[in-house]
Amino acid sequence: MPWNPPHLTAPQVIVRLAETGDVPQIARYFQDNREHLTGSRPLVGEEFFTEGFWAAQVRANLAEFREGKSVRFFIFDRANPERVIGNANFTQIFRAPAHYCMLGYGLDSGYQGRGMMREALELAIGYMFREQNLHRIQANYVPRNERSGGLLRRLGFTVEGFARDYLLLNGRWEDHILTSKLNPDWRAG
């Protein structure tokens, strides 16, 4: 398992773990997209939108990475490399015998429709398969979120089922479509 935090680049995006200096931009991203992202996460308090919260969270994210528990990427606009435009979290990492994790992601509303999330997730998924050697990545979405469903299909995720009242998001139980992508190059070790 690699200890050095990854720094991935593509034509439009940079994908990496956050550093302390990114905290103001992370807080801004969540503040600016407060309404846009509300339906895709659990209820959060006002502290979630503060720099103090994100300073602690950035430290916690790095600790989880080093412990092999999660890889919580932030997505930066390559044309403006300080600007956080999204996130992609690979959480609930389980090693043997499952070798899988859960993927959750979000993108600034002003950046949708440009292929930036697809570019970012292609990089991040490639990293999780090659460097973290996971066999399976699961990603689930609310049925009305057709944009997310289309993105997962384009990334090669397969629909595996439907779960009623799967997650409590924004104070409401939401059904989810369950998908996964398998690593064709997984190595036993």
Side-chain angles (χ1 to χ4, degrees):
M1 205 168 16
W3 287 98
N4 294 326
H7 189 278
L8 312 171
T9 59
Q12 298 185 89
V13 297
I14 299 167
V15 179
R16 63 177 175 77
L17 274 65
E19 300 166 357
T20 306
D22 300 318
V23 166
Q25 280 294 314
I26 295 169
R28 182 215 42 85
Y29 161 70
F30 284 109
Q31 290 163 6
D32 290 353
N33 290 280
R34 184 179 211 148
E35 186 176 321
H36 170 64
L37 298 173
T38 294
S40 64
R41 67 169 176 249
L43 288 173
V44 295
E46 286 302 311
E47 72 281 353
F48 180 85
F49 301 97
T50 67
E51 289 185 23
F53 174 87
W54 284 103
Q57 193 61 49
V58 164
R59 288 190 301 275
N61 292 354
L62 188 55
E64 282 189 10
F65 171 76
R66 289 192 173 130
E67 293 165 7
K69 294 179 179 178
S70 72
V71 181
R72 295 176 185 267
F73 286 114
F74 282 91
I75 303 165
F76 297 80
D77 182 350
R78 189 154 178 201
N80 182 3
E82 296 82 37
R83 185 171 179 86
V84 174
I85 63 167
N87 63 309
N89 295 321
F90 295 85
T91 60
Q92 300 176 38
I93 294 176
F94 289 92
R95 301 296 173 179
H99 301 282
Y100 80 90
C101 70
M102 298 296 298
L103 165 62
Y105 50 88
L107 185 68
D108 187 303
S109 62
Y111 285 81
Q112 290 189 335
R114 301 184 196 179
M116 295 172 104
M117 182 54 84
R118 180 176 182 176
E119 196 174 80
L121 287 179
E122 285 172 346
L123 286 174
I125 290 166
Y127 169 82
M128 296 304 290
F129 281 166
R130 271 188 324 278
E131 304 301 323
Q132 295 286 328
N133 194 36
L134 292 177
H135 176 253
R136 172 188 181 88
I137 296 173
Q138 297 175 189
N140 307 321
Y141 66 96
V142 177
R144 69 178 170 280
N145 190 345
E146 294 174 14
R147 184 183 291 268
S148 189
L151 172 63
L152 291 170
R153 280 190 299 279
R154 287 188 299 281
L155 289 168
F157 281 75
T158 301
V159 172
E160 294 186 328
F162 181 86
R164 294 180 310 128
D165 286 358
Y166 184 69
L167 291 178
L168 185 61
L169 301 177
N170 196 30
R172 186 177 138 184
W173 286 104
E174 295 281 1
D175 298 341
H176 277 69
I177 295 174
L178 312 177
T179 75
S180 73
K181 181 177 176 92
L182 302 179
N183 182 355
D185 299 316
W186 182 80
R187 306 168 309 279

